[in-house]
Amino acid sequence: MNLRILDCGDAAFTIEFGDRIDPGLLDRVNRLDRAIARARDDFPGLIETMPTFRSLTLFFDPLVTDRDAVLATLQPLIAAAEHGSTTDGRHWR
């Protein structure tokens, strides 16, 4: 797992899974995004997530929580998402 955490001001940070557009990276991003959605009650102050092809940005309310608290709650979800299985998707032509 080669993740980078990039701060985006005082109310967001981005988790980069890689530096290219790759179906495997997108799958990892989507698994983590779904895991966060399922555990939404564990994230007080989380406003929204924004997935991209290779990263996931989390926006939070700095009056309710902080970066360290969000990351602490996120760590087990990252580990679980890294070991999840690839999900079926739709194929478009």
Side-chain angles (χ1 to χ4, degrees):
M1 170 166 59
N2 202 11
L3 302 177
R4 285 185 358 151
I5 308 293
L6 305 169
D7 290 319
C8 302
D10 63 348
F13 60 87
T14 296
I15 303 168
E16 278 192 342
F17 289 86
D19 60 358
R20 65 194 181 288
I21 295 175
D22 177 272
L25 296 179
L26 177 59
D27 187 52
R28 291 167 62 194
V29 168
N30 288 332
R31 282 195 311 248
L32 180 56
D33 193 35
R34 284 191 301 273
I36 292 168
R38 285 190 302 270
R40 191 64 177 219
D41 292 340
D42 296 336
F43 287 94
L46 183 65
I47 297 170
E48 94 180 283
T49 60
M50 184 177 61
T52 70
F53 286 108
R54 61 185 191 90
S55 66
L56 181 66
T57 300
L58 287 85
F59 298 90
F60 57 90
D61 182 345
L63 299 176
V64 176
T65 190
D66 61 24
R67 175 188 188 273
D68 293 337
V70 175
L71 280 174
T73 305
L74 196 60
Q75 288 303 326
L77 297 179
I78 291 172
E82 287 295 307
H83 299 294
S85 62
T86 303
T87 58
D88 294 332
R90 294 183 283 178
H91 182 75
W92 294 88
R93 293 182 204 234

